[in-house]
Amino acid sequence: MNSDQNIKEVLSNYPISMEQVEVIPVKTGLIHTSYKVTEAQEASYLLQKINTSVFRDVKTLMENIALVTNILKNAFRGSSYESLELLKTNNGHLFYKNECAAWRIYHFKEHLTGCDVPNNKEMVREAGKAFSVTDPEKLSVTIPNFHSMQKRYGQLQHVLKNTTAELSHIDPLFKQIEEFKQLLLPLEYAMDSEEIPLRITHNDSKFNNLLFDEAGKARCVVDLDTVMPGIIHFDVGDCLRTLTPSTPEDEPELANIKLRKGFHSAFLEGFVGNESGWLTKNEIKFLPYSAPYMALIMGIRFLTDYLQGNIYFSSDHPEHNLIRARCQVEVTKQ
Ligand code: GN1
Ligand code: MG
């Protein structure tokens, strides 16, 4: 089955009118393959082919997402925030599986847009508010040890040990990683020893996983695959590492990477809110670790994927993950 026929077959399992339906690929995220589907009557949807080598247990993943979207829908009633909404199959299932892949569909947020880097401090404050913690609820872990520096570093060492490639060009990068890792591991140790409490965290709180309305108000957090127990520092750090540099996460020219320190405090203002009482003493104490910790984790993951032949993150060319890794290590350094 070619991919066009495949998509038509997928859509025929959903309450979508196939007359004059339009399907266009959209570039969103580095993991799944996404399409915008527009019906003649103008309703539009986000169709995603789920990356099952990253998310091996699709049923648990989708049950988590259904739970999260329901919690958010109730929590946001009467506010200006919105939740993503899944479209169920004709048989009432959360996803559709055929012999090629597993698929899911969300209603498309036509009136909202995301962007890679913020234009002003107000957007940054909005991001802080939007990624602030929602009600804790029992959720499954979709990717175990997702932000464990020890695990990510172990994977990198394993790949380094087993590669036959010439490595001298990554030596300086690897040395920096080793040095920064030692400085940042105390955050993970504090989590492991339960000095920092687990909450429900998004875990992929890149700035572009937030949609804004035309007035610049944050309205909807997207990409809910990795919502699971974690520490606030993961969400604070992932958002800060993507919104403080004025350059994208794959900036090749290290000299161009400048951190906008004012955005740092604007984000925290939004995140913490007027009342810091909801944070524990240790959560506050470890806040400065957040951004460098998450930037270094990403540096390690991108470098590992580069050395593995770019099998995890979608990339535009063979050196793309190496460029991303260098950029993230530079963000860690600053
Ligand atoms: C992936 O799906 P996407 O592109 O939002 C990755 C994140 C990384 C991000 C880097 C499940 O997220 O952890 O921070 O790429 N998601 C997964 O851009 O690995
Ligand atoms: Mg994602």
Side-chain angles (χ1 to χ4, degrees), residues 28-32 48 55 104 146 202-206 209 222-226:
T28 164
L30 308 183
I31 305 296
H32 308 298
Q48 291 190 305
F55 295 98
R104 68 175 172 212
F146 191 46
H202 183 278
N203 293 302
D204 191 3
S205 52
K206 293 196 289 194
N209 275 333
V222 299
D223 203 347
L224 305 173
D225 297 331
T226 50

Side-chain angles (χ1 to χ4, degrees), residues 174-189:
F174 185 66
K175 285 215 177 74
Q176 281 184 308
I177 288 177
E178 282 198 302
E179 180 195 330
F180 298 148
K181 173 186 73 103
Q182 284 318 105
L183 300 172
L184 295 166
L185 272 175
L187 178 64
E188 186 168 353
Y189 298 149

